[in-house]
Amino acid sequence: MSPPGKRHWFVPDAFLPPASSHGIVSHEAACLLTAGGQEATIRFTFFFEDREPLGPVELRLGPRRARHVRLDDAASLGVELPRDVPYAYSVESDVPVVLQHSRLDTSAGAYTLFTTIAYGE
């Protein structure tokens, strides 16, 4: 039986809110899961309306592990994504993985959280 997940994922609606409140930084995360027994090599590419893509950014994820990649954390991600700019991203993996995208927006003085399973092929 092959491990669950897909090798190609797409998130067309991504956006790092420009402001934060209550001491909680508005952010997005790509939540990754390898349910199978092999390490995954994962490549992110970030797309914009008015500029060339960023990436690929390569990460590794161990077998049977989860990883929450903060998309506002340039130090761990390896690229700095702009705030207040719509973008999209793709994730390619050499083994099947599952990708969930989430956004925490505290810019309006309250907490707004949304999450969705990305589109996978």
Side-chain angles (χ1 to χ4, degrees):
M1 184 167 141
S2 63
K6 305 282 185 184
R7 293 175 186 251
H8 301 278
W9 293 91
F10 303 92
V11 177
D13 178 22
F15 182 80
L16 288 170
S20 301
S21 66
H22 302 294
I24 305 294
V25 176
S26 294
H27 66 274
E28 293 190 318
C31 308
L32 297 159
L33 169 67
T34 55
Q38 289 183 286
E39 178 181 78
T41 300
I42 297 167
R43 287 169 299 286
F44 285 80
T45 302
F46 300 93
F47 301 91
F48 303 92
E49 295 175 1
D50 61 351
R51 59 190 89 178
E52 290 300 308
L54 287 175
V57 172
E58 191 170 290
L59 305 172
R60 299 215 186 278
L61 181 58
R64 295 179 301 281
R65 295 291 184 263
R67 183 170 178 181
H68 294 75
V69 180
R70 285 275 300 258
L71 300 178
D72 65 319
D73 186 358
S76 66
L77 188 59
V79 297
E80 186 169 350
L81 297 172
R83 289 195 173 270
D84 203 21
V85 173
Y87 68 97
Y89 65 95
S90 66
V91 172
E92 295 180 52
S93 178
D94 60 345
V95 299
V97 297
V98 176
L99 172 65
Q100 177 182 343
H101 176 80
S102 64
R103 178 184 302 151
L104 176 64
D105 185 348
T106 65
S107 63
Y111 299 99
T112 302
L113 176 68
F114 96 84
T115 184
T116 186
I117 295 294
Y119 172 77
E121 293 187 336

